[in-house]
Amino acid sequence: MIYVVGIGPGKKELMTFETVNALNESEVIVGYKTYIDLIKEFIKDKEVVQNGMRGEIQRCKDAIKKAKEGKKVAVISSGDSGIYGMAGLILELITKENLDIEIKIVPGVTASIGAAAVLGAPIMHDFCHISLSDLLTPWDVIQKRLKLAAEADFVICLYNPRSKGRKDHLQKAFEIIGEFKSGDIPVGIVKNVGREGEFKQIVKFKDIDFETVDMTTIVIIGNKSTYVYEDKMITPRGYVL
Amino acid sequence: MIYVVGIGPGKKELMTFETVNALNESEVIVGYKTYIDLIKEFIKDKEVVQNGMRGEIQRCKDAIKKAKEGKKVAVISSGDSGIYGMAGLILELITKENLDIEIKIVPGVTASIGAAAVLGAPIMHDFCHISLSDLLTPWDVIQKRLKLAAEADFVICLYNPRSKGRKDHLQKAFEIIGEFKSGDIPVGIVKNVGREGEFKQIVKFKDIDFETVDMTTIVIIGNKSTYVYEDKMITPRGYVL
């Protein structure tokens, strides 16, 4: 039995009951060590299998091995397990090896939803998620999606916006998006949603300082109706008030 | 004080702790009556303000009135409060009247995330949300977004896909999307996520029966890599296995 669990942005309050139940019922907890640290209180003396960044495939293989031994295993992802999380990888491995292991996907609050709640209501209308990481996706696919999403005037949530190894992606993304979106459109930046050091900033598209953005940050770019009131970023749904 | 609360798809297990805390702390619960029914166990003898469909503006005005009287109020949405929910409307009304009321947005598991967990892992890669309701959004904007989202090969989650008054929207949407997506791409249909009568179906794009879809349904259309294994719909993230 493998639970593929989304733990939400970080704090217990944003976890679901199903997530906590799945962690409690599991004998082995498998995850990226940063996320293991976030859920320490639910682990106690359970067996833990953890490793570092880019160790996703090994982690999932380890989880499957433990499940084959008859153990109940929880594989954790931050946010939702099904959005750039471990759900796909676990199911791909199960598919490939044609394994008979029960899998339960346990959803969670993804980073865009957590960040949006901190900012106000920026994703109240049609929106998309685009990851700027080209580790697994060709950069030309990412560029095409950025262009078409901007042309469609989606609210755009950027995941993995900027890392040490990919410092220029965010600026390049803004150049592509800037062809279709006005420089005055609000952009929300939230770092460490629901974790220690939570940081929030709302700026105009043209005024963003890319240096404030790192891998723990979600960037939400408004649509042409998005506005700012005091410290809130709001995308109207279209009601006539 | 107004909590704008996302209650998740329906069952308690998919609520967050923050949602339950906010409901417990509130003196007045305001919501669409179908959703009030879903959280009865958290309401008990609290004051309830409920009304029917399309009563959103009145509900939010009622909530603000109660908050002005000094009461702690929870305005509920199904799914996440910030995705086609009440967060935007509450903040718009606060903005318009320049009111000094504390607002706390409490996020929840939105329908696409709940449906995805039921289907497998269909939204593991870049995806978008598009509502097919043209009550508040011009149909030409919706059509443009459908076209560009399909061209970008996003996984597409359709909200409000089909109602009695808008029977043809879904078929029209499929005609637009079908210009860019192959007829063999998997489509996941989930009705009543996490509620009584939950129903799940995975079909090929060309084989969808529009009659199975209603307003309580989420439709998730895969990207060109999405595949089906047994009863699971999986969109690979790009790992080489």
Side-chain angles (χ1 to χ4, degrees):
Chain A
M1 173 81 205
I2 301 179
Y3 296 101
V4 194
V5 177
I7 62 167
K11 63 181 173 188
K12 182 192 163 185
E13 288 75 13
L14 290 184
M15 287 185 184
T16 67
F17 288 88
E18 195 165 279
T19 287
V20 171
N21 291 344
L23 294 175
N24 285 338
E25 280 177 33
S26 298
E27 296 155 283
V28 185
I29 312 283
V30 180
Y32 174 44
K33 60 186 175 198
T34 304
Y35 304 146
I36 293 282
D37 289 345
L38 290 173
I39 56 158
K40 267 184 183 156
E41 66 175 292
F42 301 103
I43 297 178
K44 288 171 190 141
D45 56 356
K46 290 178 197 286
E47 187 181 346
V48 173
V49 178
Q50 59 184 322
N51 64 9
M53 263 174 65
R54 306 199 188 171
E56 296 93 334
I57 295 174
Q58 191 55 51
R59 273 202 301 279
C60 289
K61 285 184 173 172
D62 290 344
I64 287 169
K65 194 176 159 216
K66 294 287 178 186
K68 278 182 179 168
E69 292 167 9
K71 289 183 176 158
K72 285 189 185 172
V73 181
V75 178
I76 63 164
S77 303
S78 71
D80 175 45
S81 53
I83 299 179
Y84 311 120
M86 292 299 108
L89 193 44
I90 286 285
L91 289 175
E92 283 188 77
L93 289 166
I94 295 286
T95 303
K96 199 181 169 213
E97 298 183 34
N98 198 15
L99 297 172
D100 186 25
I101 297 173
E102 195 187 344
I103 306 289
K104 167 88 174 151
I105 311 293
V106 180
V109 171
T110 188
S112 62
I113 292 181
V118 172
L119 291 166
I123 55 174
M124 275 299 299
H125 213 294
D126 304 336
F127 72 95
C128 65
H129 286 172
I130 301 175
S131 168
L132 295 190
S133 169
D134 63 350
L135 289 175
L136 301 170
T137 306
W139 179 244
D140 62 339
V141 172
I142 298 171
Q143 281 181 305
K144 184 179 177 189
R145 287 188 180 151
L146 289 167
K147 179 186 168 296
L148 293 166
E151 192 177 345
D153 198 31
F154 278 113
V155 175
I156 302 175
C157 302
L158 298 177
Y159 278 58
N160 308 312
R162 191 164 178 269
S163 71
K164 282 176 190 162
R166 299 177 285 100
K167 278 191 193 261
D168 298 336
H169 282 203
L170 184 62
Q171 187 172 345
K172 285 183 191 162
F174 266 61
E175 283 164 14
I176 293 165
I177 294 168
E179 286 180 41
F180 297 95
K181 298 229 183 213
S182 139
D184 290 328
I185 279 178
V187 174
I189 292 166
V190 188
K191 212 180 275 196
N192 295 312
V193 180
R195 295 183 201 163
E196 215 173 308
E198 184 179 280
F199 168 84
K200 159 195 170 180
Q201 192 185 37
I202 300 173
V203 297
K204 288 184 179 179
F205 186 88
K206 64 183 178 203
D207 296 332
I208 187 171
D209 175 5
F210 300 112
E211 294 294 323
T212 58
V213 176
D214 62 17
M215 279 297 273
T216 69
T217 311
I218 290 290
V219 176
I220 302 182
I221 302 164
N223 71 17
K224 69 179 179 193
S225 305
T226 305
Y227 65 95
V228 178
Y229 176 75
E230 292 181 349
D231 65 340
K232 301 277 192 254
M233 177 172 168
I234 304 162
T235 300
R237 176 95 161 85
Y239 294 103
V240 179
L241 302 179
Chain B
M1 171 84 205
I2 301 178
Y3 296 101
V4 194
V5 178
I7 62 169
K11 63 180 171 187
K12 183 192 163 184
E13 288 74 13
L14 289 184
M15 286 187 187
T16 67
F17 288 88
E18 196 166 279
T19 287
V20 172
N21 291 344
L23 294 174
N24 285 338
E25 281 177 31
S26 297
E27 295 155 283
V28 185
I29 312 282
V30 179
Y32 175 44
K33 60 187 178 199
T34 306
Y35 304 146
I36 292 282
D37 289 346
L38 290 173
I39 56 159
K40 267 185 183 154
E41 67 175 291
F42 302 104
I43 297 179
K44 290 171 189 142
D45 55 357
K46 290 178 198 286
E47 188 181 345
V48 173
V49 178
Q50 61 184 323
N51 65 8
M53 264 174 65
R54 306 199 188 173
E56 297 94 333
I57 295 174
Q58 191 55 51
R59 272 203 301 278
C60 288
K61 285 184 174 172
D62 290 344
I64 287 169
K65 194 175 158 216
K66 294 286 178 187
K68 277 181 179 169
E69 292 168 7
K71 288 182 176 158
K72 285 187 184 173
V73 182
V75 178
I76 64 165
S77 302
S78 71
D80 175 44
S81 52
I83 298 178
Y84 311 120
M86 292 299 109
L89 192 44
I90 286 285
L91 289 175
E92 283 189 77
L93 289 167
I94 294 287
T95 302
K96 199 181 168 215
E97 298 184 35
N98 197 15
L99 297 172
D100 186 26
I101 297 173
E102 195 187 343
I103 306 289
K104 166 87 175 151
I105 311 294
V106 180
V109 171
T110 189
S112 61
I113 293 181
V118 172
L119 291 165
I123 54 173
M124 275 300 297
H125 214 295
D126 304 336
F127 71 96
C128 65
H129 286 173
I130 301 176
S131 167
L132 294 190
S133 169
D134 63 351
L135 289 176
L136 301 171
T137 306
W139 179 244
D140 62 340
V141 172
I142 299 171
Q143 282 182 303
K144 184 179 178 189
R145 286 186 179 150
L146 290 166
K147 179 186 167 295
L148 292 166
E151 192 178 346
D153 197 31
F154 278 113
V155 175
I156 301 174
C157 302
L158 298 177
Y159 277 59
N160 308 312
R162 192 164 177 270
S163 72
K164 283 176 189 162
R166 300 178 284 100
K167 278 191 194 263
D168 298 336
H169 283 203
L170 185 62
Q171 187 172 344
K172 285 183 192 163
F174 266 61
E175 282 163 15
I176 294 165
I177 294 168
E179 287 179 41
F180 297 94
K181 299 229 183 214
S182 140
D184 290 328
I185 279 179
V187 173
I189 292 165
V190 188
K191 212 179 276 195
N192 295 313
V193 180
R195 296 184 202 162
E196 215 172 309
E198 184 180 280
F199 168 84
K200 159 195 170 180
Q201 193 185 37
I202 300 173
V203 298
K204 288 183 180 178
F205 186 88
K206 64 183 178 204
D207 296 333
I208 187 170
D209 175 4
F210 301 112
E211 294 294 322
T212 58
V213 176
D214 63 17
M215 278 298 272
T216 69
T217 311
I218 290 289
V219 176
I220 301 183
I221 302 163
N223 70 18
K224 68 179 181 194
S225 305
T226 305
Y227 65 96
V228 178
Y229 175 75
E230 293 181 350
D231 65 341
K232 301 278 192 247
M233 177 173 169
I234 304 162
T235 301
R237 177 94 161 88
Y239 294 104
V240 179
L241 301 179

